[in-house]
């Protein structure tokens, strides 16, 4: 009996220790995700607030998917007090509710920003009745302006897709890829090779893009060498990796797109998405959010470099919705430490910030519907 009990207690003790070890590892990995501690910081600079015109010739729309005020402030703290975003002197808030949801998804949020129409969650480039609605990118194209889309996720994912595709469901990736060929978009860079070339219908859209005159590249180094003509840059089978894996793909892709689009003397419309600020929110990971937020701020820096020199470019930075209900419950500005806390792993209903810089920026202040952003952009660029 005694040995049996002895064995039982021995097993119990080992069990408790294994459990404790597990808890310890979990707590450790939780803290890796919950707490961000700055390693390298980058310098930010001030840009001129003087512009050549009243009305913009070009619009750059930068969408931080899932980027609320906390995500911005987490990035600002992590970079020890400064972001490129501080160059934006006109600030407003956008109400993100969709046609059928107090809480929007990225498809309805993207469609609202692209077309000025509220639609149902999951819908891409169609209104709440399923009718296709023109995006500002398509209108810019029709007007003879150059157009571009850049994303860290697959280029067929909901946010970029909303600017070029018209489908009932956001997961119709192959149909969305086909829609790229129905347009004259000049530049698109993002993941999604599989949706173009490993398809149920057997079509190889990468070959079709080549015969339409596109330079089709899959390596960001090669992509960055393209200076003119049409460019399809597909940098991953589906989505690109996190910053540690993809490096400066998004800022480099942005700079490349701006150089190419600038060849059109009539002007251009470019949308760039920092897709994974949202994914960090879904993962309740402060570290993931901060890494993606800082990468997105470097994209903002590239846009500012271009716009300052050009003097006729309006930049708008906003989000489709907030993700995670992120709160910042601790941190240290001098050390670049941020501690985040998350009540949900989903999107939230809260208003998101709208930052603008350049001719026309003063139009984008106050509290507005997400669809008002498009109405204002349309007035400045299309009408
Ligand atoms: Mg997105
Ligand atoms: Zn999301």
């Amino acid at each position: 009996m005694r040995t049996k009990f002895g064995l039982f207690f021995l097993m119990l003790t080992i069990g408790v220790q294994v459990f404790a070890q597990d808890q310890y590892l979990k707590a450790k990995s939780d803290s890796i995700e919950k707490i961000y501690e700055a390693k390298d910081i980058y310098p930010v600079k001030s840009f001129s607030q003087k512009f050549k015109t009243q009305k913009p010739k070009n619009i750059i729309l930068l969408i931080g998917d899932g980027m609320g005020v906390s995500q911005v402030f987490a990035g600002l703290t992590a970079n020890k007090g400064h972001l490129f975003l501080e160059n934006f002197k006109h600030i407003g808030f956008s109400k993100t509710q969709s046609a059928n949801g107090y809480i929007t998804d990225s498809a309805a949020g993207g469609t609202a920003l692209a077309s000025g129409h509220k639609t149902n969650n999951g819908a891409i480039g169609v209104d709440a009745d399923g009718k296709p609605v023109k995006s500002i990118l398509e209108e810019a194209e029709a007007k003879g302006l150059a157009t571009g889309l850049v994303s860290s996720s697959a280029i067929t994912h909901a946010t970029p897709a909303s600017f070029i595709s018209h489908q009932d469901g956001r997961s119709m990736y192959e149909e969305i890829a086909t829609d790229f060929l129905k347009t004259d978009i000049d530049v698109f860079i993002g993941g999604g090779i599989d949706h173009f070339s490993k398809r149920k219908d057997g079509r190889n859209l990468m070959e079709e893009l080549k015969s339409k005159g596109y330079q089709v590249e899959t390596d960001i180094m090669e992509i960055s060498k393209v200076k003119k003509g049409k460019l399809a840059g597909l940098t991953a089978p589906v989505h690109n990796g996190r910053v540690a894996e993809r490096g400066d793909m998004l800022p480099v892709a942005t700079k490349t797109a701006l150089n190419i689009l600038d060849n059109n003397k009539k002007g251009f419309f470019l949308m760039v998405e920092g897709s994974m600020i949202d994914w960090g929110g879904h993962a309740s990971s402060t570290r993931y959010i901060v890494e993606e937020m800082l990468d997105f701020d470097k994209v903002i820096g590239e846009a500012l470099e271009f716009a300052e020199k050009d003097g006729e470019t309006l930049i708008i930075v906003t989000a489709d919705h907030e993700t995670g209900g992120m709160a910042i419950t601790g941190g240290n500005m001098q050390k670049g430490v941020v501690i985040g806390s998350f009540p949900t792993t989903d999107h939230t209903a809260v208003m998101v910030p709208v930052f603008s810089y350049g001719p026309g920026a003063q139009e984008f202040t106050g509290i507005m519907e997400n669809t008002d952003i498009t109405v204002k952009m349309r007035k400045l660029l299309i009408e």
Side-chain angles (χ1 to χ4, degrees):
M1 279 303 272
R2 261 185 63 181
T3 44
K4 264 191 185 168
F5 266 117
L7 193 64
F8 174 74
F9 281 114
L10 182 67
M11 297 296 282
L12 191 68
T13 315
I14 292 170
V16 167
Q17 275 173 356
V18 167
F19 179 72
Q21 176 76 1
D22 256 20
Q23 288 297 99
Y24 168 74
L25 287 175
K26 189 176 176 305
K28 203 177 162 201
S29 81
D30 273 1
S31 73
I32 286 171
E33 294 303 321
K34 290 267 179 313
I35 302 173
Y36 180 92
E37 288 182 69
K39 290 165 286 259
D40 319 318
I41 65 161
Y42 57 88
V44 304
K45 60 179 239 195
S46 294
F47 290 85
S48 161
Q49 300 289 331
K50 291 202 178 74
F51 311 109
K52 287 184 196 159
T53 48
Q54 297 291 314
K55 237 182 149 189
K57 186 176 99 176
N58 314 307
I59 291 185
I60 306 171
L61 174 62
L62 304 176
I63 302 178
D65 197 319
M67 185 189 74
V69 171
S70 289
Q71 284 79 356
V72 170
F73 196 69
L76 185 144
T77 304
N79 203 40
K80 300 189 177 172
H82 291 290
L83 290 179
F84 282 115
L85 201 46
E86 288 171 276
N87 284 285
F88 289 66
K89 304 303 178 195
H90 295 94
I91 298 171
F93 283 99
S94 161
K95 296 188 266 186
T96 66
Q97 283 59 47
S98 69
N100 69 343
Y102 180 58
I103 294 175
T104 188
D105 82 326
S106 292
T111 300
L113 291 169
S115 71
H117 292 268
K118 298 258 185 189
T119 189
N120 296 329
N121 288 353
I124 298 285
V126 297
D127 68 13
D129 301 318
K131 201 163 71 46
V133 283
K134 280 250 178 294
S135 74
I136 185 162
L137 183 144
E138 293 167 310
E139 289 167 345
E141 220 173 75
K143 216 190 149 189
L145 308 190
T147 57
L149 290 175
V150 173
S151 175
S152 46
S153 67
I155 201 71
T156 44
H157 206 239
T159 312
S162 299
F163 287 80
I164 199 159
S165 179
H166 306 278
Q167 301 289 344
D168 294 330
R170 57 182 289 170
S171 57
M172 298 164 75
Y173 295 116
E174 294 181 8
E175 290 82 355
I176 290 168
T178 314
D179 282 349
F180 276 78
L181 280 96
K182 295 177 185 160
T183 73
D184 277 317
I185 184 168
D186 295 273
V187 181
F188 58 97
I189 306 169
I193 294 170
D194 288 359
H195 305 143
F196 285 81
S197 62
K198 286 189 184 167
R199 302 163 51 87
K200 287 193 266 348
D201 64 8
R203 282 172 70 179
N204 185 338
L205 302 187
M206 296 183 53
E207 290 306 318
E208 292 184 32
L209 282 164
K210 276 183 201 159
S211 47
K212 272 195 84 177
Y214 282 85
Q215 302 161 82
V216 179
E217 300 291 348
T218 55
D219 183 86
I220 189 65
M221 279 300 293
E222 294 305 315
I223 288 167
S224 70
K225 290 178 193 158
V226 179
K227 303 283 181 237
K228 56 179 192 288
K230 285 178 174 272
L231 170 65
L234 295 166
T235 50
V238 183
H239 304 301
N240 293 286
R242 279 172 69 163
V243 172
E245 195 188 317
R246 72 171 191 267
D248 56 2
M249 172 261 161
L250 198 63
V252 169
T254 302
K255 193 175 182 178
T256 306
L258 286 169
N259 279 334
I260 298 172
L261 297 175
D262 191 33
N263 291 322
N264 187 320
K265 294 303 159 217
K266 286 187 180 171
F268 65 78
F269 175 83
L270 171 67
M271 192 288 291
V272 182
E273 183 201 20
S275 317
M276 298 177 197
I277 302 167
D278 172 65
W279 302 3
H282 285 294
S284 304
S285 168
T286 305
R287 190 164 72 110
Y288 197 168
I289 288 171
V290 167
E291 288 169 0
E292 294 295 336
M293 186 63 224
L294 296 178
D295 181 63
F296 187 58
D297 188 58
K298 290 172 189 163
V299 168
I300 294 169
E302 290 294 349
L304 284 165
E305 285 288 353
F306 177 88
E308 183 187 55
K309 268 191 222 111
D310 181 71
E312 298 179 79
T313 300
L314 169 65
I315 311 173
I316 296 153
V317 182
T318 190
D320 47 358
H321 53 74
E322 195 275 344
T323 306
M326 186 183 196
I328 299 176
T329 52
N332 183 310
M333 193 69 85
Q334 286 71 37
K335 291 181 180 156
V337 175
V338 189
I339 303 169
S341 173
F342 302 87
T344 176
T345 56
D346 214 329
H347 302 168
T348 67
V350 71
M351 296 187 290
V352 292
V354 182
F355 302 92
S356 42
Y357 171 96
Q362 68 284 354
E363 300 290 325
F364 299 81
T365 57
I367 295 176
M368 63 200 102
E369 291 290 343
N370 51 6
T371 47
D372 292 337
I373 297 172
T374 328
V375 171
K376 294 170 199 288
M377 287 193 299
R378 193 172 267 150
K379 261 203 192 103
L380 291 166
L381 192 72
I382 310 291
E383 286 165 13

